[in-house]
Amino acid sequence: GDISDFSLAREMVWVDKQLRKLNVPYLTVVGNHDLNGNGRPTFEHIYGPLDYSFVYGDTKFILIDTNSREYNFDGKIPDMGWLNAQLANTEGARRQMVMMHVPPDNSDFDPNLQQPFAQALARTPNLVAAMNGHNHSFRIGQLYPDGVTYINSDAFSERSYMVIKVFGNKEFSYKRVKF
């Protein structure tokens, strides 16, 4: 998330150009800074849908827009109907990872959807972890006493990235790499 700072097309195009130089695949999830002005259609044009999922190997990745404040907390973001359908459909996958920008314990997440969101994740028996980045600093642990591990990555300014290895049914290891 936060591919751009001001939702400008040139910011998103520049970041896309840089990310395409990587020797590994990359995923994007929309951030609050990507939704200002005409940011939504620009983001969708360059990176694709705001909510999407796919199965790679035996893991289902679910990427969801959780930038509730950008929608004036209208009760529609995150899209709980879509999320619940994705979590229920495990065809081709034995485990799942959820990725978002704003975590449910943040004031930018719709307060009326925090509990339903967290409960949906907690009801998912094959959920490995939920990842986010909005808080700009590394954090790993449970936000609620429900067994769900949340991983918050550093901001780009911290010059680090994470390598996460998923194995078994719900196990994972991680390494923070400074550059």
Side-chain angles (χ1 to χ4, degrees):
D2 289 350
I3 300 298
S4 66
D5 195 17
F6 301 105
S7 299
L8 299 174
R10 67 177 178 226
E11 291 175 309
M12 292 187 206
V13 167
W14 180 82
V15 170
D16 182 55
K17 185 176 179 181
Q18 299 307 309
L19 290 173
R20 288 180 184 271
K21 294 177 184 177
L22 295 172
N23 293 326
V24 296
Y26 69 91
L27 304 172
T28 59
V29 63
V30 69
N32 56 307
H33 287 262
D34 304 321
L35 293 170
N36 296 318
N38 291 324
R40 181 183 176 134
T42 303
F43 186 94
E44 290 174 317
H45 177 75
I46 296 170
Y47 298 106
L50 304 186
D51 296 332
Y52 64 101
S53 69
F54 63 94
V55 175
Y56 179 78
D58 55 3
T59 304
K60 182 173 186 178
F61 294 87
I62 301 167
L63 293 92
I64 185 167
D65 180 0
T66 58
N67 300 288
S68 307
R69 183 175 300 281
E70 305 313 309
Y71 301 90
N72 297 314
F73 303 109
D74 66 2
K76 297 177 183 175
I77 302 298
D79 183 339
M80 291 304 301
W82 182 86
L83 177 63
N84 286 321
Q86 294 302 311
L87 292 170
N89 179 1
T90 58
E91 186 176 337
R94 72 174 180 170
R95 59 184 166 239
Q96 299 181 67
M97 298 273 299
V98 173
M99 299 177 181
M100 69 204 86
H101 184 63
V102 178
D105 68 333
N106 189 279
S107 62
D108 288 339
F109 198 104
D110 191 327
N112 294 319
L113 296 177
Q114 288 176 337
Q115 186 176 14
F117 185 88
Q119 289 173 343
L121 297 187
R123 286 191 307 266
T124 305
N126 59 347
L127 181 70
V128 176
M131 299 179 67
N132 62 277
H134 182 65
N135 294 332
H136 296 223
S137 60
F138 176 76
R139 172 179 76 171
I140 184 169
Q142 292 184 32
L143 301 181
Y144 313 101
D146 59 8
V148 175
T149 300
Y150 289 83
I151 304 169
N152 192 100
S153 63
D154 282 319
F156 284 135
S157 62
E158 297 301 313
R159 300 192 52 82
S160 73
Y161 62 91
M162 295 180 63
V163 176
I164 297 176
K165 294 181 181 180
V166 178
F167 53 93
N169 290 325
K170 289 178 54 170
E171 295 78 33
F172 70 93
S173 63
Y174 70 92
K175 179 180 178 182
R176 290 174 68 202
V177 179
K178 292 284 202 174
F179 60 93

